[in-house]
Amino acid sequence: MLEKMKQIFKFSSWGLLYKFTVPIILIVLVGALSIFVVMSNMTTSSLEIQVRKSLVQEATLLSDSVGQMLKDRVSAVETSIVTNLEVVSSAIQASSWSQQKKYSEYKNSLDIVNYARFAENDIFYGARRYLESLSEKFGFLEIRLNGTDGIAFMATRKLVNAGSLYDSWFVKVSEAFAKGEKYYLEPPVYNDKLDAFVFGIAAPILNQKTNAPVAFLLVSCMSDTVFESAFRLSGTDFLEGSNKSYGWIGKNDIILSSSQRHTVGDNIGPNPSFSKRHAQYLSASFDTKGNLVDSKWGIVERLQPSDLPALIKKYDQTQIKYIDAEKDSPQKLEFYNQLQNHAFGFSSDKQKAFSFCATGLNQNLNSLGHIFVSMNVSEYSKPVVILQTVMVPSIIGIVLVVMLAIFLIIRYVSRPIFLLAGSIYEVSLGNYDIKVPVLTDDEIGEVASSFNTMIDDIRVELKYWKRRDNL
Amino acid sequence: MSLVVVAGQTYDETLKMADFVTHFGHTTVCAHDGAEVIAKVHSVLPDVVLIDAATPIINGFQICREIRSNPVFKKIVIILVSDSGKKATKFYGLHQGADYTITKPLDENMLSKMLKKAAK
C-alpha cells in the first residue's frame, strides 16, 4: 500500500503540477487572503458603524426624552404657577373688594380663603402667607407681589437676590398687561449672577371695577428642579437591562452618574466590569466648582475634578443644535452628524467601550447640560471573533482541498500520457508489435489511437520491404 | 543470496552489471539479449531479473510482459534499468510488470537496496 502510494506520488506529472498547480494555488491563496482582508475590514467597519449607530440612537432617544422631559416639566411648573397665580390674584381681589362677603364664590381655593380670612385688616397678609407656601411647594427661587403703588411682598426660599431680573421684567410685564394678556411668561435664560437658568412668570391683580392692574405677582424659578428631573430620568428610565451607562452634566450643578440597572427596582449601581473603565467619570458627583461631592461607586482616576471645566468647554464648543419642533431639520441632521463624529470623543478604551455626549438645549438653544452615554462593545466584537476562529481555518482547509483536487486531476491526466510516451520509446527500441492502450476518449486518446494506426502502417511497410529483400 | 539473471544493452554493460551484482554477493547468470534472458529464466528460474530496457532482439518491456504472463514466474522480481531518466519510461516499465526501475549510470547503493528487498 505504502509502496503504491509512493509510486503514485513519484509518477505524477510534477512538471504539469508546477505549470498549473502552483499558479492556481497561488491564485487561490491570494484570493482567499484578499477575501479575508476585505471581510475583516468590512466586519470591523460595520462594527464601528453599528456601534456608532446604536450609540447615536441611544443618545438621540435620551436627549429627545430629556428635552421633552424638560419641556414638560417647565410647562407643568408654568401651568401650576399660572393656575395658582390666578387663584391668588382672584383671592386678593376678593378679599380687598368684597371683604369676606363672597368667600362662597371661591370654594375651589380654600387655602386662599383661609389665608384671606386671617387678613381681615390686612388684605395682603393672606396673600403673603400663600406666597410663602407656594415658594415652599414648588421650590421657587423668589415670589413676590408687586403693587403698582410700590408696595411689595416677597417670599424667598433661597437667600438669593435675582437683582436686575425683575427690573428688566417690569417693563415687559407692564407692556404685556397693557395689551390685556392674562399672564406673562419669561423664557428660561442663563443668569450670570445666579449661575443658573431662571425663568419667571407674572400675573396681574386687577381692579374689579376698572379692570386695571393694581399689582403684579412675579415668580422666578431656578431650573435646578428641572435638571434634577432630567437626571432622574437619565438615571432610571433608560437603564433597565442594558449594558450602557448614562451620565448627566448640568451646566450649573455638575452631576455625573454612572448607572447600570439589571432589574427593575435595583438601586442604581455600576456594572462591576463596566465600572472598571467608566466609573471614573460616570460615577461621581461634583459641585459647581468641580469639587468631588459624592463618589458612591466612583473611582475618580481618569477624570479629575479639575478636568471638568475643560470637558464642559469642549462639549460646549461642539454644541449640538437640538430643536424639538423640527424633527428633520438641517440642524437636527447636523446634530446627528456631530454625534457620530464624537462617538469616540469620550472613549477611554476604544476597543472595549464607546461613549459620547449629547447636549440638551433649551428653546433659546442654550445648553442645559450634557448627556453621556457609554456602551460596552463586547457584543459587537462577535463578528470579528467568528472571523478569526472560523474563517482562517476554513480558508486553509479550502486551499488544502483545492491542492488535493488539482493533484488528483493531474495524476489522472498524466497516466495516459506516460503510457503513450513509454510505448513510443519501446517502438524506438525496434518493437513494432505493440499497441498503445486507448484509455480515454479525449485528445490524448486520439493521439494514442493515431499512434496505433501509424505503427500498424509501419508494420505493413516493414513486412513488404522484408519480403522484397527476400526475393 | 539470490540468483540473478543480468542482461544489458551491450556485452560490456552486461559484464559491468554482473560485476556489481556479484560484488553484493549474489549469483549471476549473464544473458546478452532479450531472447536469451527469457531462455535463462525458463532454465534457471532466478529470483531476480536485472535487465536493461533496451536489450537487443527482445527489449526489456517485452521481457517484462513475457515473464508476467506466466504464473510460474510470479515470484521473480524484475529490476528494469532504463537508459533515460525520463519518468514516462519508468512508469511504462512499471506498468509492463517491472517491480523496480533504476536509471543509468547505476547507483551502487540503490541497486544493493533493491536486491536486498528482492531477496526478502
Side-chain angles (χ1 to χ4, degrees):
Chain A
M1 184 69 188
L2 195 72
E3 204 68 21
K4 195 150 193 174
M5 285 293 288
K6 267 187 191 171
Q7 272 192 21
I8 287 172
F9 196 71
K10 197 174 173 184
F11 291 107
S12 284
S13 178
W14 288 109
L16 282 175
L17 207 66
Y18 287 138
K19 269 176 198 153
F20 297 107
T21 318
V22 172
I24 287 170
I25 287 170
L26 276 177
I27 288 166
V28 168
L29 270 177
V30 168
L33 201 72
S34 50
I35 287 169
F36 176 73
V37 168
V38 167
M39 277 195 71
S40 67
N41 274 347
M42 271 169 65
T43 318
T44 317
S45 62
S46 72
L47 172 80
E48 278 185 25
I49 290 164
Q50 250 183 325
V51 171
R52 280 167 182 242
K53 243 186 199 170
S54 141
L55 280 172
V56 166
Q57 278 172 1
E58 205 69 34
T60 311
L61 189 69
L62 198 59
S63 58
D64 272 348
S65 306
V66 171
Q68 192 56 45
M69 176 73 189
L70 288 171
K71 241 177 131 187
D72 292 350
R73 182 78 191 174
V74 167
S75 61
V77 171
E78 282 169 9
T79 312
S80 65
I81 291 168
V82 168
T83 315
N84 284 298
L85 279 184
E86 282 173 351
V87 175
V88 170
S89 61
S90 303
I92 290 165
Q93 284 169 44
S95 56
S96 84
W97 288 96
S98 57
Q99 293 193 356
Q100 306 173 35
K101 286 176 185 174
K102 292 182 180 177
Y103 291 152
S104 56
E105 291 176 23
Y106 305 103
K107 277 174 187 169
N108 293 334
S109 53
L110 280 177
D111 283 350
I112 304 297
V113 173
N114 284 335
Y115 286 127
R117 201 189 294 160
F118 290 116
E120 286 176 7
N121 299 317
D122 181 358
I123 56 163
F124 289 124
Y125 176 74
R128 199 179 66 201
R129 287 290 304 279
Y130 188 65
L131 296 185
E132 280 166 6
S133 75
L134 275 183
S135 175
E136 195 75 21
K137 192 176 173 187
F138 292 104
F140 291 156
L141 188 69
E142 205 168 354
I143 180 164
R144 75 174 168 179
L145 189 64
N146 223 40
T148 43
D149 53 358
I151 305 161
F153 287 96
M154 192 164 76
T156 318
R157 188 168 68 91
K158 292 181 180 177
L159 291 173
V160 180
N161 186 5
S164 59
L165 191 68
Y166 288 106
D167 299 335
S168 60
W169 278 21
F170 200 78
V171 182
K172 294 180 192 171
V173 170
S174 306
E175 283 171 1
F177 292 147
K179 284 178 199 166
E181 282 180 17
K182 216 174 173 187
Y183 62 91
Y184 177 80
L185 176 71
E186 177 78 8
V189 287
Y190 182 70
N191 186 290
D192 290 333
K193 200 169 178 182
L194 292 171
D195 192 22
F197 283 89
V198 176
F199 61 90
I201 292 160
I205 294 169
L206 302 175
N207 185 314
Q208 271 192 341
K209 283 184 178 174
T210 59
N211 240 16
V214 292
F216 305 124
L217 248 164
L218 294 132
V219 174
S220 67
C221 181
M222 213 157 77
S223 56
D224 55 353
T225 49
V226 182
F227 275 125
E228 271 173 36
S229 309
F231 171 58
R232 247 177 257 126
L233 182 83
S234 70
T236 57
D237 293 358
F238 286 85
L239 297 163
E240 285 156 17
S242 72
N243 71 339
K244 299 165 195 84
S245 289
Y246 300 92
W248 171 264
I249 296 184
K251 178 97 180 181
N252 174 34
D253 17 27
I254 300 153
I255 305 157
L256 290 173
S257 154
S258 158
S259 344
Q260 174 75 27
R261 268 201 158 184
H262 298 290
T263 51
V264 184
D266 277 357
N267 288 324
I268 298 170
N271 181 335
S273 62
F274 202 49
S275 66
K276 275 177 194 166
R277 287 186 286 274
H278 286 274
Q280 295 91 343
Y281 49 87
L282 288 174
S283 66
S285 303
F286 301 86
D287 67 9
T288 41
K289 286 169 187 170
N291 301 318
L292 185 66
V293 173
D294 184 64
S295 60
K296 260 187 246 170
W297 327 292
I299 317 133
V300 187
E301 281 177 355
R302 296 267 172 94
L303 191 81
Q304 299 300 325
S306 55
D307 296 338
L308 274 170
L311 192 79
I312 289 166
K313 202 180 166 190
K314 182 182 167 190
Y315 284 103
D316 273 347
Q317 280 167 357
T318 59
Q319 202 175 72
I320 295 142
K321 306 293 176 201
Y322 172 66
I323 298 162
D324 211 33
E326 300 168 48
K327 281 287 177 196
D328 294 316
S329 64
Q331 286 93 329
K332 188 108 178 174
L333 292 175
E334 198 192 340
F335 163 73
Y336 289 136
N337 289 335
Q338 289 203 17
L339 277 187
Q340 286 186 354
N341 292 336
H342 288 85
F344 295 110
F346 213 61
S347 173
S348 64
D349 188 350
K350 200 173 164 183
Q351 296 300 313
K352 301 291 179 198
F354 297 88
S355 63
F356 69 102
C357 119
T359 310
L361 302 178
N362 68 4
Q363 51 186 307
N364 291 339
L365 300 181
N366 296 317
S367 81
L368 296 173
H370 307 281
I371 298 159
F372 289 90
V373 181
S374 33
M375 183 185 239
N376 196 331
V377 293
S378 61
E379 62 184 283
Y380 291 101
S381 61
K382 275 175 193 166
V384 173
V385 173
I386 289 168
L387 192 79
Q388 283 166 353
T389 53
V390 177
M391 281 290 287
V392 174
S394 61
I395 283 173
I396 290 167
I398 287 167
V399 168
L400 286 177
V401 165
V402 167
M403 277 173 76
L404 187 72
I406 290 167
F407 181 79
L408 289 176
I409 287 166
I410 288 196
R411 157 125 192 89
Y412 177 75
V413 171
S414 64
R415 194 180 144 84
I417 295 174
F418 277 168
L419 284 179
L420 184 61
S423 305
I424 291 168
Y425 178 64
E426 196 179 340
V427 170
S428 79
L429 295 176
N431 182 11
Y432 296 97
D433 294 327
I434 59 157
K435 234 180 171 57
V436 181
V438 182
L439 294 173
T440 51
D441 198 18
D442 54 11
E443 290 80 355
I444 293 162
E446 214 170 291
V447 172
S449 65
S450 300
F451 178 79
N452 284 340
T453 316
M454 187 184 78
I455 293 297
D456 287 344
D457 290 350
I458 290 172
R459 208 184 296 130
V460 171
E461 198 86 345
L462 272 175
K463 269 182 188 169
Y464 169 75
W465 283 108
K466 271 181 186 170
R467 200 179 298 152
R468 206 183 140 172
D469 284 350
N470 290 339
L471 285 173
Chain B
M1 185 78 125
S2 46
L3 183 59
V4 185
V5 172
V6 179
Q9 201 172 349
T10 58
Y11 183 75
D12 289 346
E13 263 185 27
T14 310
L15 290 182
K16 215 184 262 178
M17 282 156 71
D19 274 355
F20 271 128
V21 176
T22 36
H23 178 73
F24 297 134
H26 302 284
T27 315
T28 317
V29 176
C30 287
H32 299 299
D33 58 48
E36 205 181 333
V37 169
I38 291 167
K40 287 274 161 67
V41 165
H42 277 273
S43 58
V44 303
L45 196 65
D47 301 312
V48 180
V49 175
L50 177 64
I51 44 165
D52 198 291
T55 45
I57 304 175
I58 295 174
N59 64 46
F61 303 116
Q62 279 172 295
I63 297 166
C64 287
R65 284 198 291 271
E66 182 70 33
I67 292 171
R68 288 289 171 246
S69 65
N70 194 338
V72 177
F73 308 130
K74 204 180 166 186
K75 285 189 178 174
I76 294 176
V77 175
I78 304 172
I79 302 172
L80 193 72
V81 182
S82 66
D83 200 3
S84 54
K86 282 175 188 168
K87 266 189 231 163
T89 315
K90 287 185 176 183
F91 181 80
Y92 187 68
L94 292 172
H95 193 260
Q96 299 309 319
D99 294 295
Y100 302 105
T101 58
I102 187 166
T103 42
K104 280 195 271 188
L106 289 176
D107 182 3
E108 277 185 47
N109 291 333
M110 206 184 259
L111 187 64
S112 78
K113 272 181 196 171
M114 281 179 184
L115 287 170
K116 268 181 195 171
K117 271 188 193 173
K120 282 175 189 173

